[in-house]
Amino acid sequence: RPRRMLLLFSAAGLLTSSTRVFSSFSSAVGSLRKWGFTLLPEVAVDGHVVLKCREACSGRLEQLLDAADAAGCDVLEQQYSFNEICHRKRLRWDMRISADCEAWNELAKQGFALAEPFLREMCTDGSRPRVVMTGAVVSRPGAGPQSFHADGDGGLFNIFVPLVDVQAESDGTQFWPASHLDDSAPDRALELEQDRDAMASLVSPAMPAGSLFCFDYRVVHRGLSSVGRERAVAYIVVATTSHAADTANFPAMSVNEALPVHTESMPFWEDDVGCVRMVLRQRRDTMLRRLTQTLQRQQSAFAEQPDDSYCPTVRPRASVRRYCELLGMDFRSLQDQVHAATILLASHPYTPDVSGMDGHVDEAGIAIQQSPGKGLGVFAIRNIEACTTLGDYTGEVINHQQHQARYFASIVDPSAHDVNRDEGTDGRELAWAASRRVRGVSMTGDYVFKVTENMYIDAEDVLCATWTRYLNHDAIPNVAAKSLPRGLDGQPRVWFVALRNIAQGEELVFDYGPGYQWAAGEKQ
């Protein structure tokens, strides 16, 4: 134990001070050999080059994220890897910089020239150091820590050039000293957090902007959490043997050539709030499917792609992105995508399955039109035979308590909910009411279908409903409602069937039941 403590103290004393740099060439080379990493002493890239590269780095990232989005990726939530950009961790990207960037070429030139004397000492086969690859890692606020990993095999060194100041033991990079000498280190890295001694030896050195920090490709390390700022680090990969090459960190496929068939199978990140993101993704995808139907019928002016035949979600994604831009929202945020898609769908005059051009549902043979004295109604656009199944009544499935809370409690009147709140009204129903008010959805209770004493289908929100919500009442119906409290999918089902032959142009109506009356234009 004392010997281990001495070793760790030596590493800490050598590397973790935010002000200390190596004072000699030999000590830097010695540290590189012994510990696997070193801050190169008294050398740095010009400040104006660092500033220009930081600006170029941000622009390049936005360009590549746009390309990934166009390829069908969820740029914040999905684990995608292309030749130009890899999403290493949520909100942490590794990317290559375009060779035509003058500032970037200058940074690579200066950085390599300053590091070459040190790396020449690491050459073992008589070869000279050579640049293999350059790029940058960008971490945005909210990025969590990476998993511990090594970049690859021996004969390669990574030169970090931070584009912002990095303080010791903060949001920089954490290294495991001497792990490059341990062949088992890459395997141990998978469970390193359970190794208390190894964790105690880790160091996260200070790196001033423009400085050069060099480490062996075999050293186990990880990027730490990024809080409150965007952190960009340029890097230069240098080979010190004639045969060394990086063939693992970037795949061959270009982001500009990727198709949805490639990106749809890429996994998503999961973390402490992974379930929330999963729900948002499912909700967003549902919105996009419904928006697809609407845009295909309406030929929306928001659509940016002329051909939807291969990937039907390209145009809706473009619509959502355009709407986010118009409202100043982040189109890469799942929450903002859901919000924008909700607004777009809510602006549709009917339900998502109804054409906004003529109010038709061709599959069902009906159209939504004005019904004298009743508002909108459902009319046959072709002859319908008796016993034909017309369509399902869909909406939010709620119980009796929720039904009372929604339509008979004071939440429908936001000015009174603190005064007269009924028992059973909880935060979820208050949030439901707030959501409807924001989207302009009514809260009349006129579209609730009672399946059992404790089961209702609420179709007032058009986003959850189908055209059947527009079926009007008549004591002499030509349509009947059928219901099951549990269908094949485990959910309640309500559907409508033609009671007799219905002629083209005739309104479809059913009997709402003995408790319903319509007199003098008012529902009772």
Side-chain angles (χ1 to χ4, degrees), residues 37-344:
F37 48 90
T38 185
L39 183 66
L40 301 185
E42 301 176 0
V43 295
V45 173
D46 291 344
H48 72 279
V49 174
V50 170
L51 180 60
K52 289 183 178 180
C53 283
R54 187 161 67 231
E55 296 171 352
C57 193
S58 295
R60 175 63 170 168
L61 178 59
E62 290 299 319
Q63 180 186 35
L64 291 174
L65 291 181
D66 284 347
D69 180 74
C73 290
D74 188 319
V75 297
L76 297 183
E77 308 298 338
Q78 206 166 8
Q79 303 177 41
Y80 46 87
S81 295
F82 300 106
N83 185 256
E84 302 89 348
I85 184 170
C86 294
H87 199 191
R88 301 296 188 196
K89 188 71 175 179
R90 187 175 183 275
L91 298 176
R92 189 188 307 270
W93 293 275
D94 186 355
M95 61 181 180
R96 300 191 184 194
I97 308 298
S98 176
D100 59 3
C101 178
E102 184 177 344
W104 200 261
N105 291 335
E106 181 61 25
L107 181 142
K109 177 181 177 181
Q110 288 189 25
F112 178 68
L114 294 169
E116 185 182 18
F118 299 89
L119 294 176
R120 197 178 300 150
E121 298 296 318
M122 311 308 294
C123 293
T124 57
D125 62 357
S127 61
R128 296 179 64 87
R130 56 187 172 83
V131 175
V132 173
M133 178 174 63
T134 63
V137 176
V138 179
S139 302
R140 287 188 168 169
Q146 285 182 292
S147 301
F148 285 105
H149 65 282
D151 285 340
D153 298 326
L156 292 170
F157 288 82
N158 206 335
I159 306 167
F160 271 5
V161 183
L163 304 182
V164 295
D165 290 333
V166 177
Q167 302 299 317
E169 309 300 334
S170 59
D171 61 351
T173 304
Q174 199 171 40
F175 296 90
W176 186 12
S179 53
H180 66 304
L181 303 176
D182 183 356
D183 291 340
S184 67
D187 293 329
R188 293 174 60 192
L190 300 175
E191 299 179 353
L192 193 61
E193 292 188 19
Q194 282 70 52
D195 188 333
R196 297 174 63 180
D197 290 340
M199 291 297 292
S201 72
L202 301 180
V203 294
S204 178
M207 300 182 195
S211 63
L212 277 68
F213 189 91
C214 184
F215 63 94
D216 193 302
Y217 241 45
R218 298 168 293 175
V219 170
V220 172
H221 62 284
R222 67 172 177 178
L224 294 175
S225 299
S226 182
V227 180
R229 67 167 181 168
E230 180 172 298
R231 179 174 64 86
V233 179
Y235 62 82
I236 307 165
V237 177
V238 177
T240 56
T241 63
S242 58
H243 63 275
D246 184 326
T247 59
N249 283 299
F250 288 92
M253 183 189 299
S254 169
V255 66
N256 297 309
E257 298 172 356
L259 296 172
V261 68
H262 303 129
T263 60
E264 66 185 7
S265 61
M266 294 179 177
F268 286 84
W269 296 112
E270 294 296 344
D271 51 27
D272 292 340
V273 290
C275 291
V276 174
R277 292 198 176 99
M278 181 64 74
V279 170
L280 284 174
R281 285 198 296 269
Q282 292 173 344
R283 188 177 302 168
R284 189 275 314 274
D285 292 344
T286 298
M287 297 290 190
L288 290 180
R289 284 193 295 270
R290 289 178 172 176
L291 201 53
T292 298
Q293 298 171 351
T294 300
L295 293 178
Q296 285 174 339
R297 292 188 176 99
Q298 291 184 333
Q299 296 297 308
S300 169
F302 284 115
E304 298 176 358
Q305 300 294 332
D307 183 8
D308 242 6
S309 59
Y310 182 75
C311 179
T313 61
V314 170
R315 286 173 56 189
R317 285 174 65 89
S319 302
V320 168
R321 174 173 177 169
R322 178 71 178 275
Y323 204 81
C324 283
E325 291 173 346
L326 290 173
L327 297 182
M329 297 187 295
D330 182 1
F331 68 88
R332 297 190 183 109
S333 162
L334 275 176
Q335 188 70 54
D336 285 353
Q337 288 181 42
V338 169
H339 183 55
T342 298
I343 294 174
L344 285 171

Side-chain angles (χ1 to χ4, degrees), residues 452-494:
T452 68
E453 291 298 324
N454 195 38
M455 185 181 295
Y456 300 80
I457 296 178
D458 183 357
E460 186 146 1
D461 190 339
V462 294
L463 299 183
C464 306
T466 62
W467 64 266
T468 57
R469 74 193 289 271
Y470 297 104
L471 288 167
N472 284 318
H473 164 77
D474 198 298
I476 306 176
N478 54 14
V479 169
K482 306 288 186 180
S483 67
L484 286 173
R486 186 179 179 88
L488 294 177
D489 61 355
Q491 296 296 314
R493 186 189 176 199
V494 174

